[in-house]
Amino acid sequence: MTQSALLYLVARTTFNSVKHRLARLKQPRYLLPTLAGLAYFWFVFGMPGLGRGTRAPEVADFAPTIRALAGAGLLFFTVTGWILAPNHATLMMSEAEVMQLCTSPLTRAQIIRYRWLRAQPATLFMALVAGVLALKREELNAIFAALGTWLIVNVMFLNGIAAALFAGKLKSLGVRGLSLRIPGIMLALAVAAAFAPNFTPPPSLRQFREIPDWLSHLFNDGLAGALLWPLRQLAQMPAATDWPEFAVGAGVALAMMLGFDQLATRLNTPFEESALDLAQNVGRRLEAFRRGGMSSMKLAQIQTVKPSRLRLAEQGPVWRAMLWKALVGQTRGVSARLLFPLLGLAILFGVIVFSSDRPEVVDVMVISTFSVLTIMLVIAGPQMLRNDLRSELHRLDYLKSLPLRGRDILRGEVYGSALLVGAALVGIVTAAMLLIRTTEGLHAAWRITIIATSASFLPPVAAMSFAIENGAAVLMPSWVAQAPGSGGVELMGRNMLMAFLRLILLSLLLAIPGSAAAVLVAVGVLVAPSGLAAAMALVFAGGVAGGLLTLLEVEVLLRFFGRRFETLDPSLENM
C-alpha cells in the first residue's frame, strides 16, 4: 500500500508539472522560447533529408578503444562520486518533500526508493533523447541506446546516493573533516594501483596509430582489465548490436543497481535534518541563479560578508555609487581558488607553445584560440555576469525609490560589469602577444601597440554588450526574468533567441565604430614600411576612435533605456 501511494505521488507530481508547462504556453514569453528550442532540436536531430549516418571506417577501427575509454570514464565518475560525497552527505530532496515524507509513517528505505522513483521522469527523458539520436546512426539500435542510457544513468544515480549516505553515516558517528574523504581516497588509490603495472610512456602525436594499442594495454590487461570489465559492459549497452550483447551489460547494470540500493538502504543513515538543511540551501541557490545566474548563486553561498576592498568616495557623480555596488556584487562571488585552475591551464598552454619546434604552427594555434576566446567572452560575458539590473528586477520598487535618474542607475550597472569583462579581454590579448613566438614583423613595439589598441576598444565593446542586455531587462522585464521551473527546451530556446537578437543588435551598433577603427588600422598597416611610428600611431588612433564612438552609442542607449526605466511600473509587467 505504501509503495502504491509513493508511486501515485510521483505520477501525479510529474503529470501536474507537465500540465503546468503546457498550460503556460498560452503566454508568448513561454511559447516562443519553446518553439525555438523544438525547432533547433528538430533541425539538428530529426530534420527530414539529413539521412541516417553511416560509420566511417576510421571510427569502426577505433570502436574497441572508444568502449575502453567509455568504461574508464564511468569508473572515473564512480570514484569521483565517493570522493566528493562529503560535500552533500545526505539525501537530496526538495524542502516540501522533506517536510511531507520525513513526517509520514515511512521507513528510511522507502524514502530512499521514493527519491529514486522521483528521478525517473528525468532519466526516461534522457533515454528518449538517446534513442532519437541513435536513429541518425545506421549502426545503432534505438531501443538498445535508450534502454542502455537509462540503465547507465540509474547506476550512476544510485552510486551517488550510496556514497552520500555512506558519508552521512560517518558524520553521524562523529567523523569530521578530511577523514570523511578517506574512503573515496582509498578507492582512488586502489584504482591507481590496478592501473600502475600497465602504464608505459604514451606515444607521441606523430605515432598516432600506436595510441589505440597503448590504450588497449593500459585498460584491458591484468588487474585493470578485470576492474574495468563490468563498466565496459555498461558502456557498450547503448551501442550493442544484438540482444545477447545487450543482456550481458543489462545484467551487470541490474546487479550494480541492486548492490548500491542495498548499501544505501541498509546503512540506516539519519538524513532527515541534514536533508532539510541541504534543501533550504539548494533552494536559496536556485532562486539566486534564477534571478542573476552563476554570480548571484555564488553570492547566495556566502555565509559571512567581509568588508570590500573597493572604496567609494564620499563625493562625486551619483552614478559611481551604482558602479561601486555592481563591482562589489560581481567580485564578491569570485573566489581566489578559481584562479588556480586557470593558472594551471595557462602554464600548460605556455609549456606546449614554447616546447614546440614549429613556431609558425603554434602561432596560428595561439591566434585562432585567443581570437575565439575573445569573441566568446564578448558574446557570453553578459550571460556569465548577471549581477546587474537583470538580477534586481524583483526589486524594481526599491531601485525606483532611489534619488537617482534612470540613466545613472543603468550606467553604474553596465559599466561595473563591463570593466571586469573588458579587463579579461585585454588580458587575453596580452597573453596572446606574449605567447606568439614569431618576431619578424611583430616586434615588441607592435605588440605593445596592439595591446594598447585592444585596451581602448574592447572594454567599450563589452559595455555595449551589457547595455543591450540591461536594455532588454528594461524593455521586456517579464521576458528577461526567468520563471521558476524554466529549463530544458524552453530555457534553450530562450537563450537562443536572446543570443540571436543580441548578436544582430551588437553587429548593427558596432558597424560605424568598427568601420572607423578598421579604416585607421588598415591605413596604419599599409604605411608601416615607410614609417613605423606613424603606423603604430594610426593603429592606436583607430582603436581610440572606435572605442570613443562605441562609448557614445552606449551613452545614447543608456539615456533611452533610462527614460523607459523611469516610467516602468512593476505591477503591470506580470513578473
Side-chain angles (χ1 to χ4, degrees), residues 295-296 299 308 310 322-335 338-339 342 373-374 377-378 380-388 390 411-429 454-455 458-466:
S295 54
S296 292
L299 289 176
S308 174
L310 299 175
M322 295 301 298
L323 184 144
W324 175 83
K325 181 196 74 68
L327 283 175
V328 171
Q330 299 286 17
T331 55
R332 279 198 195 277
V334 178
S335 172
L338 295 176
L339 299 178
L342 296 177
L373 286 176
T374 301
L377 189 56
V378 170
Q383 294 300 317
M384 294 187 295
L385 298 179
R386 293 177 55 93
N387 240 354
D388 46 29
R390 291 168 291 170
R411 185 180 289 121
E413 299 279 15
V414 167
Y415 288 145
S417 302
L419 281 175
L420 298 178
V421 174
L425 291 170
V426 175
I428 290 175
V429 175
S454 67
L458 291 180
V461 172
M464 175 70 75
S465 188
F466 277 97

Side-chain angles (χ1 to χ4, degrees), residues 497-538:
L497 288 176
M498 292 300 296
F500 180 70
L501 293 175
R502 184 171 62 251
L503 283 176
I504 292 178
L505 289 175
L506 191 62
S507 302
L508 293 175
L509 292 171
L510 290 179
I512 296 177
S515 300
V519 169
L520 290 174
V521 170
V523 173
V525 173
L526 292 176
V527 304
S530 58
L532 181 61
M536 290 190 294
L538 283 171

